[in-house]
Amino acid sequence: EQKLTLKQSWKILELLGRDYAKKLVHVPFGLINLESGRMSTRKGNIVLLEEVLDDAHAFALEEVRKKQDYDGKTADDIAEKVGVAALKYAVLKLQAEKPITFDIKESVKFDGNTAAYLQYTAVRAKNILRKAGEEKNAAASESSPSNAAANQGAKTEPYCFNDNERSLSAALSSFPSEVESSARNLQVNNLCNYLYRAATEFSSFYDACPVLKTETPEKRSARLEMVAALLVVLENGLDLLGIAIPEKM
């Protein structure tokens, strides 16, 4: 419904001699409908964006409190970021021009293809790395100079990835090409779907592969690198989508 209006506006700019007019690109998206049906100003069946954001915040707050018993302000701050992200992601994850039926309750859930799931996965990765750093500092303070020298001289065997590690590494390595492809084709939904795939690969990896409690230091170090790489991908990917990651979830 916006295509003709935009074409007319840009033609006017072209006739006015604006050089940038021919460079303008319109990426249309489908109509956003309620679960109850299509919105219509003539029928009075409309919902203001402010109301949608308020509802998203309220439902996100319920989900946050199911996870952790945070104090009021902390829970409210998390719910604010989750609610706003839910609305953005619900639109961006779908192919352009497809109709969108926005379900607020589903969009703020911490599982499935939602912004909240991606945010939660990033926060979990942060927590793993933070705990690893704390344990490393504690171990360093307890070790003696002789032990440290012995460890430096020890030989290490090449580390071989298992299936879960290979799958996660392969998914993470394609991040640059996924971003480039999404930008070139003007298809943000592809980036959303990629981030969801990366997050689900990480979930499978984390369930099958202990990170902090491993058989060898080499295995622990390699898996921590994977966690760090996953966090980089999610932080950069969500930033491109305009989605903030809470400190806690």
Side-chain angles (χ1 to χ4, degrees):
E1 295 186 2
Q2 303 164 343
K3 289 182 179 179
L4 179 59
T5 301
L6 269 296
K7 285 183 179 179
Q8 292 171 333
S9 299
W10 292 342
K11 187 61 179 180
I12 292 172
L13 291 173
E14 184 182 338
L15 293 173
L16 290 173
R18 302 296 191 269
D19 294 336
Y20 59 82
K22 292 183 179 181
K23 298 180 181 179
L24 296 174
V25 177
H26 175 221
V27 181
F29 62 90
L31 291 173
I32 300 179
N33 300 315
L34 303 174
E35 287 188 278
S36 57
R38 178 174 174 173
M39 289 185 281
S40 170
T41 53
R42 285 177 295 178
K43 296 179 180 179
N45 183 27
I46 59 172
V47 177
L48 300 177
L49 176 60
E50 183 178 5
E51 295 175 33
V52 175
L53 288 172
D54 287 344
D55 287 345
H57 180 276
F59 286 122
L61 191 58
E62 289 182 13
E63 291 296 320
V64 170
R65 285 175 172 161
K66 289 178 185 177
K67 286 286 183 182
Q68 294 285 347
D69 186 22
Y70 292 117
D71 64 81
K73 185 179 186 308
T74 300
D76 197 62
D77 289 343
I78 296 171
E80 180 67 20
K81 290 181 179 178
V82 172
V84 172
L87 180 56
K88 289 182 178 180
Y89 192 80
V91 175
L92 296 175
K93 74 176 182 179
L94 298 178
Q95 186 176 345
E97 298 193 60
K98 279 193 173 182
I100 300 166
T101 300
F102 183 56
D103 185 331
I104 299 178
K105 289 185 178 180
E106 289 295 322
S107 68
V108 298
K109 286 187 175 179
F110 283 32
D111 53 13
N113 190 6
T114 66
Y117 175 68
L118 300 181
Q119 290 170 309
Y120 178 72
T121 303
V123 170
R124 182 161 65 165
K126 281 185 181 182
N127 290 337
I128 295 169
L129 295 173
R130 183 178 64 250
K131 188 172 183 181
E134 292 171 354
E135 291 180 358
K136 182 178 180 180
N137 291 336
S141 64
E142 294 174 1
S143 64
S144 65
S146 59
N147 288 337
N151 289 334
Q152 288 180 354
K155 292 183 179 180
T156 59
E157 295 294 327
Y159 182 70
C160 297
F161 285 1
N162 63 29
D163 290 342
N164 292 100
E165 292 166 328
R166 277 193 290 271
S167 294
L168 177 59
S169 298
L172 297 178
S173 66
S174 66
F175 177 58
S177 61
E178 292 286 350
V179 172
E180 192 276 333
S181 175
S182 296
R184 184 180 65 252
N185 298 315
L186 301 178
Q187 294 179 332
V188 184
N189 62 298
N190 286 344
L191 177 58
C192 295
N193 292 331
Y194 163 74
L195 293 177
Y196 176 59
R197 290 198 306 274
T200 54
E201 286 288 355
F202 174 75
S203 181
S204 298
F205 156 80
Y206 188 69
D207 289 343
C209 306
V211 176
L212 297 177
K213 296 181 180 180
T214 58
E215 297 90 343
T216 65
E218 292 78 22
K219 184 175 289 188
R220 186 178 193 271
S221 178
R223 289 178 178 175
L224 284 172
E225 289 291 340
M226 292 180 209
V227 176
L230 178 278
L231 181 57
V232 169
V233 165
L234 288 182
E235 285 182 330
N236 284 283
L238 290 175
D239 184 59
L240 288 173
L241 299 178
I243 292 175
I245 300 172
E247 286 301 314
K248 300 177 180 179
M249 280 185 78

